[in-house]
Amino acid sequence: MQLDAVIATRPRRSMPPALLLGGPAAGAIVAGYRERLVDRRLGRRNVSLVPHALLTDEVAGAPEPHVRIVLDLADRLHETMPQGSGALRLPLLRTCEAVLGAPATGGDPAARRRALRDRLYEELTLRRPWLGHAQRAASHTGQGVSLAAVAQAVLQVFVVVFPRWVYGLWLSRRSMHWAGELLEAPDRRFPHAALELTEGGGLRGNTALVQELLVTALLRDLDQAARPSRFWVHRARRRWSFVVLLGTVGGADSPCKVLLDTFERAASKGAQAPLLVLGALTAEPPSVAAALTAADVAELYHRPGRRVYALPLPEEEDDGAARQWFETNLRVHPRPAARADYVRATAPVAALLLVAAAVPVYVWGPGGCRAVEGGEVVGVTDGAECSLAPPGPEGDQLRELERLAAAHNAAVDLSEPHRTTVFFAPVTVRDGSGNTTLNGVQSLRGVLVALAEVNASPGVNHMRQRILIANPGDAFAHGTEVARMILERAARDRISAVVGVTQSRPAALEAVATLSDGKIPVIGSSVTGSAMVEGPGAPTRYVQVSPSNGQVSAITAEFVRSRKATTLILVAHPDDEVFSVDLADKVAARFTAARTVRVDYSEFGQDHTADDAARRICARAVQAGAFVVYAGRSARLMELLNAMRGRSGCTRADGGRFGFLAEAMPSEYLDDPARLTTGYPFAEFSRISFSPDVDRPRPHHFVRSFPAYFASRGLPAHVPNSDAAGAYDAVMVAAKATDGAFADEAPDEDFPANAVYTWLMEPGVRDLNGATGGITLNRENRYPAHRTLYVLGPHPFEYDVHP
């Protein structure tokens, strides 16, 4: 029988779809199927083979049925645990249950949070009796026992105060952050969000949200219960799925139907668990259920698709075939406990102790996120373990993307072949630097869209991809430090490639070299500095999907000529050798010295300020035939434009606008182009892009999937730019190289990241249809050699360039 096999072996998909049966015989089938889940040999019907629960609408009249039905489900799963499989611990669910039962307290928020923590800890001591015994023993010490008061105080600290403090940390850390996100709390720490769920709390009466919280906690607990420690003697007994039988899935008010809807909603947000649901319809199928035919049942649990299916049975009350369907011979065979289980669990521990006794080994975990000077947080996160976003509204966009990354990672089945891609680029700015929001945030959006597409694509030897976000800080100030953090996580997180970088500067070059020396390939996007891919200092394991400064300078020169310019005003950062000076030199080489005016505008420091540069630019730009080319950092452009707007001499006498071409625009202007024309009426702005305009007749499918991805998740439907397109292409290259290495190494899934680099060099990626155009990367092509680049603005322009 199909369900027996799914229950006994647990499919590789961690969340099997729910199956709803319709017809007169459905209720009898679901109720009778429970008999298959107990051992019928020798009449021992009370011995469970797998944990299961049969639920009906009988709780409809109980107080808070949305809470009662979830707790009943948990209790029945706990009661039906098979013999020799250990106890079912549900710490997240029991914590949420205790919060719902906590009374309202007075005082300031901090005092209320402490009171809630103490209440939850008292509940914990009831679930963990040894904590309660130790607490009572410590409080009794000194009454009939002649110990000094100091010794009693020390014992109180270690037995009572310290465990309660550790429990408070557990409540505030990443293990419960999902609850804060679900409750949409400004502070994701659980004690802050949980106050709204206590008696009289603002969210206490939101039945749908409360049930979703409980169901999500239960699913997370069950997922953890199915993957206990490798050193646990009952681990091999947990290969089955948990089973929920819904005897009455009725109309809108049916508790079983509401519970099913909540399951589907929680699973769609990334909550996963080996939970098999079989239900009997007593009304029309829910809107979330897809129709199913008998011929499709064979593949139901082995293919991706919807989470809920409805299967109509014959109208006859019992035609014989339906009864035979669930009365076949017993096939659920959980493996019995054996002595070898104890050897398997204790042998690794013994081996580790012997090694530790012979050679002391100190293992330090990855650093996660670290606050640094300037109001930034640098480090590496999977989106849930910590946040790189600065506090306040300026960090909202990054926090949104971190939540998407966390949900993406939670949906990846770690039992299937998978790898991790790291997005490594500045996503914050330092206080006082004068920089505006960096375009790394837009690149991160492109990465998320690409990963969603990669994980939705089936195929042989295909690896799903997780994501880590690594922030080196403004101007890559902490690039090498964060690169080392990536290397520390490489083995644990199965990192296959690093993408992004987005900036050409000495600090970025050093960070990429660190990763390259660690044998991790790096695929850059929005990176153009020639030193990144050419010369003796170019990192070995680095390629990029973006063009070089030589290619960018070619389209710059051609566009300026097409505008009939007689004088080129070239603005560059004299302190930025790898990118700005390199690009300016290459552009200047295509004009005669007499036609080129160089204006220095420092990225950092006191020399060559924005006011100085604005004065020199405006003095020349108002002359006939003048054209401005900005070869500096996009993050510094707004300050320069504001300084030019403040000068009365920056407007032409005839009221016309002079041409202004930027190598890249700040993300604020890309999201709202009207700000340029209305805010700075003295210039006609254009920008260089690696991808064509979204309004082209036949755009790449990325143009449609990018806004659709965010709109489907309740966020603004952002319009993609070349930063997002380049990051998207970098992920596609990384995924293609990872799958290629997997195909070469299959069935071995544990090949090193260096195998991905080897495949990328030979045979490499050839003629990939990327969002930025055709991409060929291999040992001879460290960046796309033949590209069409675009100038977007009032006068669109495109040009085929070569190295």
Side-chain angles (χ1 to χ4, degrees):
M1 183 178 175
Q2 287 285 322
L3 295 180
D4 291 343
V6 175
I7 292 170
T9 62
R10 197 165 76 223
R12 301 191 75 175
R13 292 177 63 204
S14 58
M15 195 72 171
L19 177 61
L20 304 179
L21 305 179
I29 290 175
V30 172
Y33 190 75
R34 180 179 179 277
E35 299 301 317
R36 300 177 58 82
L37 306 180
V38 296
D39 194 342
R40 295 185 291 181
R41 294 171 295 178
L42 304 178
R44 294 185 302 165
R45 294 179 178 273
N46 59 335
V47 178
S48 296
L49 296 171
V50 294
H52 59 276
L54 175 61
L55 302 175
T56 63
D57 289 341
E58 62 184 7
V59 300
E64 296 190 315
H66 60 289
V67 175
R68 186 69 268 155
I69 194 169
V70 180
L71 299 183
D72 285 350
L73 169 57
D75 292 342
R76 291 170 190 177
L77 292 178
H78 181 273
E79 294 166 359
T80 55
M81 284 291 290
Q83 292 182 354
S85 296
L88 180 61
R89 304 288 189 188
L90 304 172
L92 299 179
L93 176 65
R94 298 310 179 191
T95 299
C96 294
E97 178 187 2
V99 168
L100 296 178
T105 57
D108 58 69
R112 294 169 59 202
R113 288 194 294 269
R114 286 193 298 270
L116 179 60
R117 179 205 61 183
D118 294 343
R119 168 64 182 255
L120 296 181
Y121 184 73
E122 290 301 320
E123 294 283 344
L124 179 66
T125 60
L126 297 178
R127 302 196 302 271
R128 305 288 189 271
W130 62 272
L131 281 175
H133 296 330
Q135 185 170 324
R136 286 188 293 272
S139 62
H140 189 69
T141 300
Q143 301 177 15
V145 180
S146 57
L147 292 178
V150 173
Q152 181 181 0
V154 171
L155 189 61
Q156 282 277 346
V157 169
F158 279 98
V159 175
V160 180
V161 178
F162 182 72
R164 187 169 54 210
W165 176 75
V166 171
Y167 180 68
L169 289 181
W170 178 81
L171 290 175
S172 300
R173 296 309 181 223
R174 57 174 291 195
S175 56
M176 296 296 292
H177 274 191
W178 60 269
E181 294 176 356
L182 180 63
L183 299 174
E184 299 182 350
D187 193 319
R188 287 189 294 181
R189 288 175 291 180
F190 184 67
H192 293 68
L195 289 177
E196 295 297 317
L197 294 174
T198 58
E199 292 183 6
L203 299 177
R204 190 65 177 84
N206 190 334
T207 59
L209 186 61
V210 169
Q211 188 176 70
E212 184 176 351
L213 176 74
L214 295 176
V215 168
T216 304
L218 177 60
L219 292 178
R220 286 174 169 264
D221 283 333
L222 295 181
D223 184 51
Q224 183 60 40
R227 298 183 290 106
S229 170
R230 295 184 180 276
F231 307 122
W232 195 56
V233 295
H234 299 304
R235 178 182 175 88
R237 294 271 295 164
R238 297 238 177 142
R239 282 300 307 166
W240 26 253
S241 298
F242 298 90
V243 181
V244 177
L245 304 174
L246 301 177
T248 50
V249 180
D253 296 330
S254 164
C256 286
K257 192 267 183 186
V258 173
L259 179 64
L260 181 67
D261 291 342
T262 306
F263 271 127
E264 198 278 337
R265 189 165 61 252
S268 67
K269 294 181 180 179
Q272 301 287 311
L275 188 70
L276 188 145
V277 179
L278 179 66
L281 289 169
T282 59
E284 291 297 319
S287 59
V288 297
L292 191 71
T293 64
D296 296 329
V297 175
E299 294 297 323
L300 176 63
Y301 300 101
H302 303 283
R303 68 183 181 195
R306 293 205 180 188
R307 296 181 178 87
V308 183
Y309 290 88
L311 174 64
L313 297 179
E315 291 297 328
E316 294 82 1
E317 183 175 352
D318 183 6
D319 63 351
R323 182 170 296 279
Q324 184 181 6
W325 184 67
F326 70 91
E327 286 186 350
T328 53
N329 294 328
L330 181 68
R331 298 180 186 177
V332 180
H333 294 295
R335 192 184 68 78
R339 294 180 180 178
D341 295 341
Y342 295 89
V343 177
R344 185 183 298 107
T346 57
V349 176
L352 288 174
L353 291 176
L354 289 175
V355 172
V359 181
V361 178
Y362 299 92
V363 180
W364 297 91
C369 304
R370 182 174 76 86
V372 295
E373 293 182 3
E376 290 185 286
V377 178
V378 301
V380 185
T381 180
D382 63 357
E385 58 193 29
C386 57
S387 178
L388 298 166
E394 60 271 19
D396 288 346
Q397 288 188 353
L398 182 55
R399 273 187 288 273
E400 288 176 351
L401 300 183
E402 286 176 336
R403 284 194 286 269
L404 293 180
H408 172 90
N409 291 336
V412 175
D413 188 347
L414 301 184
S415 66
E416 295 184 353
H418 70 280
R419 278 294 192 272
T420 297
T421 298
V422 182
F423 174 72
F424 183 36
V427 289
T428 56
V429 295
R430 180 173 54 85
D431 293 342
S433 69
N435 287 338
T436 56
T437 302
L438 298 175
N439 293 5
V441 170
Q442 184 78 340
S443 296
L444 179 54
R445 291 183 181 131
V447 168
L448 290 169
V449 173
L451 289 175
E453 185 175 318
V454 167
N455 285 2
S457 301
V460 180
N461 295 328
H462 178 56
M463 284 194 149
R464 302 296 192 270
Q465 294 286 335
R466 299 176 66 252
I467 179 177
L468 293 177
I469 304 171
N471 181 30
D474 195 2
F476 263 87
H478 302 271
T480 303
E481 172 193 347
V482 176
R484 294 195 184 101
M485 296 170 67
I486 295 173
L487 293 177
E488 290 173 0
R489 300 181 66 136
R492 189 192 77 179
D493 287 292
R494 300 169 65 85
I495 294 173
S496 62
V498 173
V499 301
V501 184
T502 71
Q503 294 184 2
S504 317
R505 54 173 80 244
L509 192 60
E510 183 180 356
V512 172
T514 300
L515 294 170
S516 176
D517 293 343
K519 298 186 177 181
I520 293 181
V522 183
I523 304 166
S525 62
S526 304
V527 183
T528 63
S530 303
M532 301 293 289
V533 289
E534 300 172 353
T540 303
R541 293 174 178 80
Y542 174 81
V543 298
Q544 63 187 43
V545 298
S546 47
S548 71
N549 271 350
Q551 295 166 304
V552 174
S553 66
I555 189 174
T556 301
E558 289 300 317
F559 181 72
V560 172
R561 291 192 184 100
S562 73
R563 304 306 301 151
K564 310 300 183 183
T566 58
T567 302
L568 173 64
I569 303 171
L570 189 56
V571 185
H573 301 314
D575 48 0
D576 186 0
E577 295 286 341
V578 176
F579 164 66
S580 187
V581 172
D582 177 59
L583 176 59
D585 288 346
K586 287 180 168 58
V587 173
R590 298 177 182 272
F591 291 84
T592 61
R595 298 174 58 195
T596 303
V597 177
R598 192 77 164 257
V599 175
D600 289 338
Y601 167 40
S602 293
E603 182 182 10
F604 303 110
Q606 300 299 319
D607 297 331
H608 309 297
T609 65
D611 288 335
D612 295 337
R615 175 178 51 79
R616 296 190 59 197
I617 294 171
C618 292
R620 294 276 189 167
V622 295
Q623 300 174 4
F627 197 97
V628 180
V629 170
Y630 179 73
R633 298 281 175 185
S634 63
R636 304 292 301 179
L637 179 56
M638 183 182 293
E639 183 179 6
L640 176 63
L641 293 180
N642 289 339
M644 294 173 66
R645 180 174 57 187
R647 303 191 65 84
S648 58
C650 223
T651 302
R652 284 182 171 175
D654 59 1
R657 298 171 181 246
F658 55 81
F660 193 110
L661 174 65
E663 188 275 340
M665 283 287 183
S667 58
E668 291 90 337
Y669 296 147
L670 297 178
D671 293 337
D672 185 10
R675 289 182 60 186
L676 280 173
T677 55
T678 59
Y680 310 101
F682 49 80
E684 188 178 68
F685 293 97
S686 302
R687 62 183 173 89
I688 295 175
S689 176
F690 309 148
S691 58
D693 198 319
V694 296
D695 296 327
R696 287 174 70 90
R698 299 180 61 184
H700 191 276
H701 71 268
F702 169 73
V703 173
R704 296 185 300 273
S705 60
F706 185 89
Y709 173 88
F710 295 99
S712 66
R713 287 155 177 81
L715 299 177
H718 302 284
V719 177
N721 60 19
S722 64
D723 292 313
Y728 170 91
D729 286 349
V731 171
M732 288 303 176
V733 169
K736 189 174 182 64
T738 302
D739 288 353
F742 186 26
D744 291 342
E745 303 287 339
D748 180 16
E749 299 181 15
D750 295 324
F751 56 87
N754 200 45
V756 178
Y757 164 74
T758 301
W759 191 95
L760 192 55
M761 292 295 99
E762 188 64 42
V765 175
R766 296 186 181 275
D767 299 322
L768 176 69
N769 180 25
T772 59
I775 298 174
T776 295
L777 296 173
N778 49 39
R779 195 176 303 278
E780 290 75 33
N781 299 281
R782 303 283 296 279
Y783 61 93
H786 303 89
R787 296 298 299 266
T788 299
L789 296 183
Y790 307 87
V791 174
L792 304 182
H795 307 282
F797 183 84
E798 61 183 73
Y799 182 62
D800 294 328
V801 293
H802 306 286

